[in-house]
Amino acid sequence: MSMEISQFFQVFFDEADELLAEAERLLLGLDPACIDMDDIDAIFRAAHSIKGGAATFGLSDMTGVTHVLETLLDRLRKSEMGLTAAHIDAFLRSKDVLKMQLDGHRHGHPVDQPAVESLLGELHAMADEQGVAVVASEVGAAVKTMKKIRIGLPDMAASDIQSLSAELGLLGEIVIIEGEGARKVFLLDTTESIDDICAICSFVIDPDTLDIHEEPASVAPAQPQQDYEIFDLPLALPTPKAAPAAAGTVESSSIRVSIEKVDQLINLVGELVITQAMIEQRTHGLDPMLYEKLLNGVSQLTRNTRHLQEAVMSIRMMPMDYVFSRFPRMVRDLSAKLGKKVELQTQGAATELDKGLIERIIDPLTHLIRNSVDHGIEMPAARKAAGKDDVGILTLSAAHRGGHIVIEVSDDGGGLQRERILAKAAQQGLAVSDAMSDAEVWQLIFAAGFSTAEAVTDVSGRGVGMDVVKRNIAALGGQVEVRSTHGRGTTISISLPLTLAIVDGMSIKSGEEIYILPLNYVLESLQPLPTDVSDIPGYGTVVKVRGDYLPLISLQQEFAITGDGRSPSEGIVVILEADGKRAAIQIDELVGQQQVVVKNLEANYRRVTGVSGATILGDGSVALILDVSALLRGTRQLVMPAHAA
């Protein structure tokens, strides 16, 4: 398959995905008691566009589903049938089947054919149930006047002509003849009005560029029908219909660029940032009186580089709506399955996050939302008994706070039960005490295998998930916080850096080596007294910090750094926290704080334990970025009162 044809397919796949997502959003907002016909029209247009594209590409399985779906939607548009909750459910399942078929063509994923046949049977049954209304509509269609519409085309690309022919072919019999010069003319036998034809044409071309009128009944086509094929392949490959821009008349406001090109651009800008830092460092000691122009130029370069970096990084930013939009359907289906009433509200859907992060946050959020619906929000009867509305409110929000994005999943359910969590944790052998604060108790739900569910279901109860949620978020440089009030609800807050490409770091020195500590793990730094450092059998070296004994990690020992080893009291310890663990790391010197461009060490060298990446400093040297989570996972946490040591 040629590159050009592959690109046609790719654009169709992308735009069909967008149309299916938009159709699902509209379907979830439909109310059978108060139908918004604009939404019905929009869903119909989405199904019609997918049907036209699938037919042109020879994707007959998708054409079969969209054909019967389009028929039902058209009857809704024309008020020939009433909308019910069963219709909405069937239309949503149609979206699922079409997505499955699309992924089958796009990625080679398996297609559940029995599910397709079951859906088609259900849709056909719904059409048959219309009885008299269906017959009346068919009779009405039969007595409509058949008209011959002449459509003169402007100069158009062959692919656009093929695309337009496929669209209009859905309205009746079409014949393509030669017009003036190399232009084409369509003769369409149809019962539809010229306005309807123009509406269909708008998916491909600006209708104002067409010469369209009804022909007298006696006029016959000047030439026999021609097969107008663009590619010598079994599949016709036109420009997909889902982009209703007029060829050559309307300038698109966006372009599609592969993520590989964006990443390459970001990488090059990262190299530019490093080069700029090198130049700035080299000129740092120059006399400003003698080198005024040079230093002004370097200062200007620094500002421009920073603005360029911010602009390029914004290209990878995507709105959180990309994530939020997939949850209304999930909440609807899950609440119906559990017999609950749940309303999902979203806030801050326009808040932007790096694409690499936004795709990896989907699974953790999915689990948190399922937990809120299953464990958090009560059954309607229990809510009423507690004086609440029987409809539970689940809120999904996102907001920027400093250099981070905070995503929160909140419910107004029963809240976490402190005693039940402590009892279950003790039963599973976890270290607990009644003196633990609520915040510490809530963190127990993230322990591996922890679950308070009374029974295992296909929704939850296996104790698998919350520990994975926290581990995945920690791997993204984020943190999880839980707030809960018994009887009033629970909020789980996730804090993430806006991007993984740039890290706010603390430069530290051990021996002659410079390392970078990500700032979001750093709590404080201090110089301990000799009496604060102890060796405890089975735990190693620990340092006392305000009554707590923390494991002490020596970078010099961890990475076999050469040089004279200092005692902890002669150097500095930095207190770190990750995954609910705290530890102190022993270093020789704090160098400074700076933003660093992250380079993937594994892709360019190999995986190194305790290291998450690397960066290039202003003097051209390479500094390793420490993997704080990995370093702390290797420590043993000591739980004992300070006076016991």
Side-chain angles (χ1 to χ4, degrees), residues 418 422-423 425-426 430-438 440-441 444 639:
R418 176 187 171 92
L422 284 171
L430 299 177
V432 297
S433 73
D434 291 336
M436 295 173 68
S437 66
D438 283 347
E440 291 172 322
V441 173
L444 292 172
V639 181

Side-chain angles (χ1 to χ4, degrees), residues 23 27-28 30-32 35 40 43 68-69 71-76 80-95 119 122-131 134 329 332:
L27 284 167
L28 290 171
L30 288 180
D31 181 1
I35 304 175
I40 296 292
I43 298 166
V68 64
L69 179 62
T71 299
L72 285 168
L73 287 166
D74 193 38
R75 289 174 181 165
L76 281 171
E80 295 172 354
M81 61 182 260
L83 179 68
T84 66
H87 286 120
I88 297 174
D89 289 340
F91 294 159
L92 286 168
R93 284 193 291 276
S94 300
K95 178 265 174 183
L119 173 71
E122 183 178 1
L123 294 178
H124 282 298
M126 285 183 167
D128 292 341
E129 284 173 4
Q130 300 310 309
V134 173
R329 172 73 184 282
R332 176 186 186 273

Side-chain angles (χ1 to χ4, degrees), residues 283-357:
T283 59
H284 186 68
L286 296 180
D287 187 333
M289 297 297 292
L290 296 176
Y291 298 96
E292 180 183 2
K293 291 184 178 179
L294 174 61
L295 293 176
N296 286 341
V298 171
S299 177
Q300 183 67 37
L301 174 64
T302 300
R303 287 194 297 272
N304 291 343
T305 303
R306 184 173 63 252
H307 293 155
L308 177 62
Q309 183 184 37
E310 291 171 355
V312 171
M313 291 306 303
S314 70
I315 297 175
R316 272 188 64 97
M317 305 298 276
M318 296 178 65
M320 283 300 296
D321 187 54
Y322 176 84
V323 178
F324 288 2
S325 63
R326 65 192 61 211
F327 293 127
R329 172 73 184 282
M330 188 186 83
V331 170
R332 176 186 186 273
D333 293 348
L334 185 57
S335 57
K337 185 174 186 176
L338 296 172
K340 298 182 178 181
K341 298 179 180 179
V342 183
E343 178 185 337
L344 177 64
Q345 299 178 351
T346 60
Q347 301 169 3
T351 306
E352 292 187 328
L353 183 63
D354 184 276
K355 182 180 188 295
L357 285 166

